[in-house]
Amino acid sequence: MSIYNWIMKVFFDTYEEWRMKNPTYNRNGFHIVGIDNSLKAMHDGYFMYTEIYPPYAIKGCTLMKAIAGKSEELLDLYMEINGKKYCISDLSYDDAIKIMRAFVQKEILPEEKNYVEVLEDEDGKVQKVFAELSEVLLGNAKHTTQFLKKVKPEKMQDMEDAWLELYEELLDRGMAIELDWKIRKDDFISAVKKLSTGLELEINEEILDSDEDIPRWGRIINSLWTEYVLSAMDVGSDSYVLMILSKDDFVRAKKLAKEILQRIAVIEEM
């Protein structure tokens, strides 16, 4: 460790040689509070994962990864140790923060009795979930088949690129529209009308305030619709990737996206 990195660690609690990765951050160097903030974003539903990479293997561990759990109050913590994958399931967010902080600050791993080896075929599951999600969002078996011939994620590490390929496919087919966060009301209305062609959905322009923004306009629209949802695909940018899904398809898409550590939400939650 260089003198500079030692000073940053001891006096500023900043770890220049460590890498953190989440949907909005992927580089070396972070303050210890970055762990707290990233897991808070997971708890609030904005992030699906947080990864921590040490500069060298610590007791064999080269990765610690928190993944949003089935319950909103719990997460699963994964570790790669000596080439094998282990998991502590159903951790509270407070406990996960303590474990990840101890890993970074003190180079300590949880006791072995607290985690179990993961033996399931995660890569096969990823492929299946991505295919199901593509079918829900593209809404056409032929289009889905064509798309999956081009885009074939084989493991979780491939998913970010595959997610962006799906986003591009939805834009190209007119099933999603990307809008800048500061767009005007009339352009927003035009986009929603284009997405809702053939659905006979009510879009009352008069009750939308021109001084508000996409999430607040979307909240009003969603409060009026009963069978459809104005939703968005999170691609890690300031823009909004709008989609209109039936309520059943939205529930399925949100669940499937979460399983591959991506995010689809109602527009007001973006």
Side-chain angles (χ1 to χ4, degrees):
M1 180 184 295
S2 69
I3 293 177
Y4 169 77
N5 289 340
W6 180 85
I7 290 172
M8 294 300 290
K9 173 183 176 179
V10 173
F11 293 100
F12 299 101
D13 233 346
T14 298
Y15 298 81
E16 297 288 346
E17 297 176 304
W18 289 66
R19 179 160 71 96
M20 176 185 289
K21 182 181 178 184
N22 60 39
T24 63
Y25 188 95
N26 181 17
R27 61 179 183 269
N28 284 5
F30 60 88
H31 190 277
I32 197 65
V33 173
I35 294 173
D36 307 35
N37 293 338
S38 191
L39 265 65
K40 182 180 186 304
M42 287 177 58
H43 181 266
D44 292 343
Y46 294 105
F47 292 174
M48 294 296 111
Y49 68 92
T50 298
E51 299 176 355
I52 300 293
Y53 295 84
Y56 48 82
I58 294 174
K59 298 181 180 178
C61 184
T62 54
L63 167 65
M64 187 173 284
K65 181 173 185 175
I67 294 179
K70 295 178 181 178
S71 164
E72 293 181 357
E73 298 302 321
L74 300 174
L75 58 76
D76 298 328
L77 188 71
Y78 289 86
M79 295 173 288
E80 292 185 8
I81 304 174
N82 296 322
K84 295 182 179 181
K85 189 172 183 178
Y86 298 87
C87 179
I88 306 176
S89 300
D90 298 332
L91 268 177
S92 71
Y93 279 85
D94 286 344
D95 286 343
I97 288 172
K98 290 175 184 176
I99 290 172
M100 297 184 88
R101 275 178 165 257
F103 181 50
V104 174
Q105 293 177 307
K106 301 176 182 178
E107 300 192 355
I108 294 175
L109 293 180
E111 294 184 29
E112 287 188 31
K113 65 180 182 181
N114 293 327
Y115 53 85
V116 296
E117 186 175 354
V118 177
L119 300 175
E120 64 180 286
D121 179 14
E122 183 185 65
D123 293 341
K125 177 184 176 183
V126 164
Q127 296 166 18
K128 181 175 181 292
V129 170
F130 183 74
E132 288 182 26
L133 177 61
S134 299
E135 185 173 0
V136 171
L137 295 184
L138 291 171
N140 180 292
K142 181 181 177 180
H143 293 166
T144 302
T145 300
Q146 292 173 344
F147 172 69
L148 293 174
K149 284 181 179 178
K150 298 182 297 179
V151 182
K152 301 177 181 179
E154 296 182 354
K155 51 188 181 298
M156 187 62 80
Q157 288 88 334
D158 300 333
M159 196 47 60
E160 290 187 16
D161 289 340
W163 183 250
L164 294 178
E165 291 278 2
L166 180 56
Y167 143 75
E168 293 285 358
E169 185 76 7
L170 290 166
L171 292 182
D172 289 346
R173 293 195 177 276
M175 307 187 74
I177 294 178
E178 186 166 12
L179 300 178
D180 187 82
W181 66 273
K182 55 185 177 181
I183 198 167
R184 298 185 312 177
K185 173 184 144 180
D186 56 345
D187 291 325
F188 168 77
I189 293 294
S190 176
V192 174
K193 286 183 176 179
K194 186 174 181 180
L195 286 172
S196 64
T197 300
L199 298 179
E200 298 182 358
L201 294 172
E202 178 186 357
I203 303 171
N204 188 343
E205 302 179 34
E206 300 302 320
I207 63 175
L208 303 183
D209 188 335
S210 297
D211 293 330
E212 292 188 338
D213 54 20
I214 290 176
R216 284 181 282 189
W217 294 328
R219 177 181 285 110
I220 293 171
I221 287 175
N222 277 331
S223 71
L224 299 174
W225 291 354
T226 57
E227 301 298 328
Y228 289 87
V229 177
L230 183 60
S231 58
M233 184 179 191
D234 193 339
V235 293
S237 71
D238 290 336
S239 60
Y240 295 92
V241 182
L242 268 60
M243 302 180 292
I244 294 178
L245 300 172
S246 70
K247 285 199 170 181
D248 287 344
D249 282 348
F250 171 74
V251 170
R252 284 186 66 202
K254 181 178 180 179
K255 178 179 180 295
L256 292 167
K258 184 176 180 180
E259 289 185 36
I260 54 173
L261 307 186
Q262 302 299 330
R263 182 170 176 252
I264 289 174
V266 290
I267 188 61
E268 57 262 38
E269 293 180 359
M270 299 299 288

